[in-house]
Amino acid sequence: MTDAQNPPAPAPAPAADDADDAGGGGRPVADGPIVEGRGLTVHFYKRVGSRRRTVHALDDFDIAVGPGETVGLVGESGCGKSTAGRALLGAVRPTAGRVLFQGEDVTDLSRARWRAMRKHVQMIFQDPYSALNPKRKIGESVAEPYLVHTRLRGRELESAVIELLEMVGLPAGAAGKYPHAFSGGQRQRAVIARALALRPGFVVADEATSALDVSIQAQIVNLMVELQAEFGLSYLFISHNLAVIRHISDRVAIMYLGRLVEIGARSDIYENATHPYTRALLSSVPVPDPASRTAHIPLTGDLPSPMDPPKGCRFNTRCPVAVDQCFTDRPPLEERSPGHSVACWVN
Amino acid sequence: MTAAAPAPTPAPETVAASAGPADDASNRLLEIADLTVGFPTRDGTVHGVDRLTLNVGSHERLGVVGESGSGKSVMGLAILGMVLPPGRFMGGSVRWKGQNMLDPAVAERVRGREVAMIFQDPMVSLNPLKTVGAQLRELLRRRAGLRGRAVRARCIELLDMVGIANPAERLRAYAFELSGGMRQRVMIATALACNPELLIADEPTTGLDVTIQDQVLTLLHDLSTELGVSVLMITHDLGVVAQFCDRVQVMYAGRIVERAPIADVFAEPQHPYSLGLLRSVPRVDRDDEELEGIPGEPLDRARLPSGCAFEPRCPESGDRCGQAPPDLAKITDRRWVACFNRSAPPS
């Protein structure tokens, strides 16, 4: 899907009965958000036989991340959560919509300007094995951002790298070793050190702990929380793991097939889930406690293809409570209580 | 697939350990005693499983939980007489209803008939060049000895049993045309084709989205109850164990560290590793304050300490722990633990 050459896309026809604004999803936080996406839409084009098909990866997506805040982004595979994160970092050019960084519109920045922006926004990926060049020593990989963006060299550079490694709990001696000498958890620490080298304000963590064993995952989650407190970082924490998201997030956004279906404070989502998809998702997580066998809301069927998303509400093919309107009109994301917005005609 | 060499290191003190329903000898399907599987490496032999003792009774769901490299998958394969070179049996016994599974002729007869296995990735286990129907038909003719009309009827019955809609039509599908959840259903149908009495499921839902995982686990649970099939569930996910199994054994570095009915382990884990594991898992059903994690790194299996393998990471380690590995000992009626700091109350 990444071979998409997005032509200067025709502005997508706004969905049938677009709500005036998208509700409280993009609600600004106290000091004004550090990063904001407004109406972000990303379409990829894929050739199927002789036809060009549109993949609706992300559709009219609103989000705002405040300073020092962690927003969790959850959904099943193919729901567009990674695309959303990449669009906010300028790694994917949106087909429509705007990206704002500290209030400034950065959507149409040139490549060179985006390169300068990278000081402020960073990404941590799932797989620490492919994120580090196996032929480079850990120290070299971690020093890279300094070489690109600063004039630190020589002895000063060395001590900056060692300071970074110590900050993430790696021994100073790690700098001289190659990635193969480290476990997955240690590599992820090195990746975090590199991402934080330039003290970015905003970090997108895309399944950053998903490949790790639980005892190590806990270490990395704790490290990310500590570093956030220390540097006042903002995270967009993308994961399919609803328990990790609950642990780490201040606010949580639930996506389904490219659209936001519910967003709210952690307690809104985990204690007062409103969208039928959120409810089903939460009920399907196996709880590590035999005493709490949850009442399941079974979802039948599979995710429809993003090349051919259902009309109206995209969840209508699997929704246990769908009514006629759900098959014709797209439900707007509406604020139900301060900060808690839901896109559903029924609930 | 080497047959067992005479055990070089028979562990004198290890008792034929079991707990729970399988204690009743007449009810035992699978009995493993002192099983050791070794892999030669440059740094000496690594024991994939080390003097492992285990019984599975009929109508039982036993969970085997551990992190990467704990030996749980090696164990699953060894039960079926499958140890892939360069691995080899170093000692112990595996008996299926009293027959020696380490005898290749016995293993060949039992495998796929009385004991069947399902794996994590159905895309690897299903033949990409044959339709679902062709694979099922071949299996039913070869293993179940069905002929003529009965073959097709049984194919349809099997797909129907695992909840695949329009089974007659699906028989013509290739693996790539099915979704991940659907492929795992086909795998389950294949495993059930010969009415097995024991199903070994190695991470059957890892990699599936939670709503699909929920469907597959519910299906497996219902089928095992309806058909009276025992299940050996190998997983890293404590949630899956808690919601699916009756008993669980926790593995670390190729050895069993704790075994008990799930209610006991989750309410009061006794081995420090089980405790650490449970404290590492974030909960989706409540706000947890802090994840404790387990300090240190996963074990380098080629450099096992001479004492308890968990000693370097254990918060409770004492003098004895560094000297020799503790044996799995019965500390209550239903619980077995391998730890010097946990012993049976004097009786």
Side-chain angles (χ1 to χ4, degrees), chain A residues 18 33 51 63 65 68 70 112 114 140 179 190 196 205 220 230 245 249 313 321 347:
Chain A
D18 217 357
R51 293 174 56 201
I63 199 144
V65 183
T70 300
W114 258 115
E140 291 171 333
L196 299 189
I220 300 296
E230 194 173 341
I245 290 278
S249 306
C313 173
V321 298
N347 284 359

Side-chain angles (χ1 to χ4, degrees), chain A residues 76-77 183 186 213-216 218-219 222 243 246-247 281 284 286-290 292-293 296 299 301-302 318, chain B residues 67-68 179 209 211-215 239 242-243 262 266 282-288 291 293-294 296-297 313:
Chain A
E76 297 180 279
S77 35
S183 67
Q186 287 169 321
D213 275 322
V214 286
S215 69
I216 307 300
Q219 294 176 5
N222 288 342
R246 177 171 197 162
H247 181 79
L281 204 56
S284 59
V287 177
D289 180 0
S292 119
R293 301 227 164 177
H296 288 228
L299 280 187
D302 289 301
R318 299 171 78 195
Chain B
E67 297 182 286
S68 335
S179 66
D209 281 318
T211 59
I212 309 298
Q213 161 170 289
D214 190 40
Q215 293 172 8
Q243 299 298 324
I262 53 164
F266 283 88
R283 293 283 294 257
V284 74
D285 57 335
R286 62 167 190 233
D287 289 330
D288 31 27
L291 295 180
I294 301 177
E297 291 300 318
R313 299 174 77 186

Side-chain angles (χ1 to χ4, degrees), chain A residues 55-101:
Chain A
V55 179
H56 300 256
L58 193 65
D59 223 2
D60 200 9
F61 178 82
D62 289 285
I63 199 144
V65 183
E69 186 186 40
T70 300
V71 175
L73 190 54
V74 202
E76 297 180 279
S77 35
C79 72
K81 53 192 194 297
S82 292
T83 303
R86 289 162 56 84
L88 286 175
L89 292 184
V92 169
R93 199 163 279 259
T95 312
R98 317 304 300 168
V99 178
L100 282 76
F101 184 75

Side-chain angles (χ1 to χ4, degrees), chain A residues 102-179:
Chain A
Q102 291 178 328
E104 186 193 341
D105 191 326
V106 294
T107 324
D108 299 318
L109 287 190
S110 63
R111 273 177 172 276
R113 294 281 306 283
W114 258 115
R115 207 173 143 97
M117 276 285 295
R118 297 265 141 72
K119 271 185 275 196
H120 309 293
V121 296
Q122 280 291 327
M123 189 148 186
I124 301 169
F125 296 95
Q126 170 170 0
D127 184 7
Y129 291 82
S130 53
L132 293 170
N133 187 334
K135 292 182 173 177
R136 281 186 168 196
K137 292 175 182 162
I138 294 285
E140 291 171 333
S141 285
V142 171
E144 185 79 12
Y146 289 131
L147 293 173
V148 173
H149 290 280
T150 74
R151 292 175 181 210
L152 277 188
R153 297 294 182 272
R155 189 76 38 92
E156 278 182 320
L157 176 64
E158 222 167 88
S159 61
V161 166
I162 286 170
E163 196 179 314
L164 272 178
L165 293 176
E166 280 170 353
M167 179 181 89
V168 297
L170 287 175
K177 296 185 183 161
Y178 290 94

Side-chain angles (χ1 to χ4, degrees), chain B residues 7 9 40 46 55 82 90 94 102 105 115 131 153 180 185 241 260 265 269 281 285 290 300 308 325 329 337:
Chain B
T9 49
V46 171
N55 298 311
M82 295 191 289
M90 314 258 307
V94 178
L102 300 182
V115 184
T131 62
R185 285 173 193 267
V241 169
V265 172
V281 190
D285 57 335
E290 206 179 317
D300 180 349
C308 171
V337 178

